[in-house]
């Protein structure tokens, strides 16, 4: 009798593990959720919204449909600003036959935001041959690529800075963040960004993919270098400053996600 139950238990466990693996590979990666966050910042002079997305990793595990879902979800939110935090490609030289620049940049161009669309470099846009095309593709899609540059958006009371990728580019850690009341900085990797840009009231990053496994303790094992101690979410940094990390849209290396669905973040910034 006992042996019978042991066999049933083993079969149940195997089915659970197999089901989880199948879901992680083919189910979760095809989802896209909207994560809403409200951040109260003492330096903000008026409320505004930002659609933040990152790490699409287009190529063999992400295609035009992936980007289409992102563009449609952002379009439904009607954000004031759109920010892409890097890693548009997974491995450009390996995957370029799968990537149609006309199709992908047309989808990017459909995304609308009254105060503009901005992007920064990710390590996968610097490596894998992507550096040759990334800037041009973003421009064709209507995105301003901030490579150690800051733009002034006085209607929002905002300076928006973006730096080059930390791992494979040349980030300017001294980038002046202008004279608007609120200073926002976009940097692909959150770990070094949190340490280096202490004059920014709000830092936006991607890169971590949330570890691609959203289980406490386990997640930490799968965070890539440059993540620091950050995986996903809103992190208070003290003195009314915040770091917001998105776990992104796509996958890299292992084409699976578990308890960590692809996401777009809708940030509502309010005076606090
Ligand atoms: Fe990435």
């Amino acid at each position: 009798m006992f042996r019978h139950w042991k066999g049933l238990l083993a079969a149940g466990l195997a089915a659970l593990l197999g089901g989880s693996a199948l879901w992680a590979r083919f189910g979760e990666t095809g989802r896209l959720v909207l994560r809403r966050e409200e951040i109260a910042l003492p330096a903000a002079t008026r409320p505004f919204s930002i659609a933040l997305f990152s790490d699409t990793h287009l190529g063999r595990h992400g295609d035009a449909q992936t980007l289409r879902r992102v563009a449609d979800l952002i379009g439904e939110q009607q954000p004031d600003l759109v920010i892409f935090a890097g890693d548009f490609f997974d491995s450009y030289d390996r995957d370029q036959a799968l990537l149609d620049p006309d199709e992908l940049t047309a989808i990017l161009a459909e995304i609308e935001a009254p105060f503009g669309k901005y992007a920064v470099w990710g390590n996968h846009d610097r490596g894998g041959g992507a550096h040759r095309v990334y800037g041009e593709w973003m421009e064709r899609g209507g995105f301003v690529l901030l490579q150690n540059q800051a733009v002034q958006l006085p209607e929002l009371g905002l300076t928006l800075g973006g730096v080059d990728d930390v791992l494979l580019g040349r980030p300017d850690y001294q980038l002046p963040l202008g004279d608007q009341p609120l200073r926002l900085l976009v940097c692909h990797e959150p770990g070094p960004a949190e340490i280096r840009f202490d004059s920014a009231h709000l830092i936006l990053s991607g890169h971590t993919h949330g570890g691609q496994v959203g289980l406490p303790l386990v997640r930490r094992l799968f965070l890539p270098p440059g993540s620091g101690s950050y995986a996903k979410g809103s992190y208070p940094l003290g003195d009314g400053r915040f770091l917001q990390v998105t776990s992104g849209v796509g996958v890299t290396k292992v084409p699976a996600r578990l308890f960590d669905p692809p996401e777009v973040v809708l940030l509502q910034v309010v005076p606090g």
Side-chain angles (χ1 to χ4, degrees):
M1 184 69 178
F2 181 62
R3 279 170 103 187
H4 178 66
W5 279 109
K6 265 195 352 191
L8 273 179
L9 192 67
L13 207 61
L16 187 70
L17 286 173
S20 299
L22 279 173
W23 170 254
R25 172 66 186 87
F26 299 107
E28 185 115 324
T29 52
R31 296 179 67 203
L32 183 66
V33 303
L34 182 73
R35 177 160 62 86
R36 293 175 185 274
E37 294 272 358
E38 183 174 292
I39 299 185
L41 296 168
T45 55
R46 56 159 279 187
F48 61 92
S49 59
I50 304 171
L52 168 68
F53 73 110
S54 187
D55 296 270
T56 44
H57 285 268
L58 300 184
R60 64 184 178 188
H61 298 302
D63 58 13
Q65 278 309 312
T66 309
L67 195 60
R68 161 66 54 206
R69 282 198 298 271
V70 171
D72 288 349
L73 186 56
I74 291 175
E76 289 164 17
Q77 314 313 315
Q78 300 188 310
D80 293 312
L81 276 173
V82 173
I83 293 176
F84 176 64
D87 279 4
F88 189 71
F89 301 106
D90 191 41
S91 179
Y92 180 76
D93 279 345
R94 184 196 66 200
D95 298 338
Q96 62 177 299
L98 306 170
L99 300 162
D100 178 345
D102 294 334
E103 183 182 30
L104 295 173
T105 58
I107 296 170
L108 286 177
E110 285 172 28
I111 300 174
E112 293 182 348
F115 293 96
K117 307 186 289 185
Y118 299 90
V120 295
W121 290 88
N123 51 315
H124 287 253
D125 307 316
R126 275 275 172 231
H131 68 281
R132 300 192 303 270
V133 298
Y134 179 61
E136 183 204 327
W137 287 34
M138 283 292 124
E139 192 179 325
R140 285 176 64 183
F143 279 71
V144 175
L145 181 57
L146 297 173
Q147 182 179 332
N148 300 325
Q149 289 163 286
V151 292
Q152 310 298 317
L153 300 170
E155 298 101 322
L156 300 180
L158 174 70
T159 298
L160 171 62
V163 288
D164 199 354
D165 180 67
V166 170
L167 296 178
L168 298 179
R170 292 185 175 182
D172 177 3
Y173 293 122
Q174 310 303 323
L175 178 70
L177 285 181
D179 51 9
Q180 298 296 320
L182 178 61
R183 298 186 290 270
L184 196 163
L185 191 278
V186 190
C187 176
H188 184 63
E189 292 90 351
E194 181 266 315
I195 296 166
R196 299 283 195 149
F197 296 103
D198 56 4
S199 70
H201 300 109
L202 177 61
I203 298 171
L204 304 181
S205 294
H207 182 63
T208 66
H209 299 203
Q212 290 182 203
V213 180
L215 291 170
L217 302 177
V218 176
R219 158 176 274 165
R220 225 162 245 279
L221 301 174
F222 296 107
L223 293 177
S227 300
S229 56
Y230 306 108
K232 166 187 180 175
S234 191
Y235 298 90
L237 300 176
D239 299 326
R241 301 171 56 242
F242 279 89
L243 166 69
Q244 171 63 228
V245 181
T246 174
S247 57
V249 174
V251 292
T252 191
K253 293 184 181 151
V254 180
R257 279 177 174 255
L258 192 58
F259 308 122
D260 181 32
E263 68 173 15
V264 167
V265 181
L266 186 68
L267 278 175
Q268 191 69 48
V269 175
V270 296

